[in-house]
Amino acid sequence: MKRHYDFLIVGAGIFGAVFAREATDAGRSCLVIDRRPHIAGNIYSETVEGIEVHRYGAHIFHTSNSTISPSI
Ligand SMILES: Cc1cc2nc3c(=O)[nH]c(=O)nc-3n(C[C@H](O)[C@H](O)[C@H](O)COP(=O)(O)OP(=O)(O)OC[C@H]3O[C@@H](n4cnc5c(N)ncnc54)[C@H](O)[C@@H]3O)c2cc1C
């Protein structure tokens, strides 16, 4: 059975994920695809032997938004 989507989003990184969230909240349907076997793109991290490993390089989110980063 064919299914229709309003948007095909290539890449499940932060841009694709945020676009899909915003579009879905606005009532549009989205199909997100990625060539990697996980979501999150370059900000992806995984726990290896109890250590959070940033697979594609270290990432620290810089923001003054206290909701996102309560320690600020
Ligand atoms: C080493 C490193 C450190 C960084 N550190 C920071 C930091 O500390 N703070 C910060 O704010 N930012 C940092 N950045 C930047 C941050 O990673 C990017 O701004 C952000 O991840 C970009 O998100 P994006 O969704 O645009 O792209 P990406 O995260 O690159 O996601 C794109 C996705 O699209 C997929 N894709 C691409 N082409 C295709 C295709 N043809 N078919 C299917 N899938 C495809 C990829 O597999 C990937 O998953 C860093 C970047 C790097 C490389």
Side-chain angles (χ1 to χ4, degrees):
M1 188 175 102
K2 281 189 180 177
R3 178 158 179 202
H4 171 82
Y5 293 95
D6 295 315
F7 295 105
L8 169 63
I9 301 162
V10 180
I14 198 163
F15 175 82
V18 169
F19 184 92
R21 178 76 272 156
E22 295 285 326
T24 301
D25 288 349
R28 312 301 290 271
S29 60
C30 300
L31 176 63
V32 183
I33 63 170
D34 202 297
R35 62 185 169 195
R36 291 172 174 166
H38 57 74
I39 61 169
N42 282 336
I43 66 171
Y44 176 75
S45 67
E46 58 194 344
T47 305
V48 179
E49 297 182 6
I51 300 169
E52 197 66 16
V53 175
H54 295 211
R55 187 187 287 182
Y56 304 104
H59 278 75
I60 301 166
F61 282 96
H62 306 280
T63 176
S64 58
N65 187 322
S66 60
T67 304
I68 296 171
S69 188
S71 61
I72 292 176

